[in-house]
Amino acid sequence: MVTCPQCGELAEYSSANPYRPFCSKRCRLIDLGQWASESYRIPDTAPKPDSEE
């Protein structure tokens, strides 16, 4: 059993659960929608180059 990353409910993490690690199709689609709308982002920590104009 693992915690669903979307809603926090317990979900079975085995081949019997086609939506693993999510608990349901709904939670899986919500997560996919957040990726598609770019809600999840990795912050850019690289220093920005100085522009010398």
Side-chain angles (χ1 to χ4, degrees), residues 1-5 8-14 17 20-23:
M1 299 298 280
V2 296
T3 304
C4 175
E9 295 290 323
L10 287 178
E12 183 178 351
Y13 193 83
S14 72
N17 178 4
R20 69 180 176 269
F22 303 99
C23 65

Side-chain angles (χ1 to χ4, degrees), residues 1-52:
M1 299 298 280
V2 296
T3 304
C4 175
Q6 189 62 41
C7 70
E9 295 290 323
L10 287 178
E12 183 178 351
Y13 193 83
S14 72
S15 58
N17 178 4
Y19 309 114
R20 69 180 176 269
F22 303 99
C23 65
S24 66
K25 183 176 182 179
R26 179 180 179 272
C27 283
R28 185 176 180 186
L29 290 175
I30 290 171
D31 187 72
L32 178 62
Q34 289 175 330
W35 279 106
S37 68
E38 298 183 358
S39 294
Y40 296 139
R41 294 179 180 219
I42 299 172
D44 181 14
T45 59
K48 301 207 184 304
D50 294 331
S51 62
E52 297 179 19

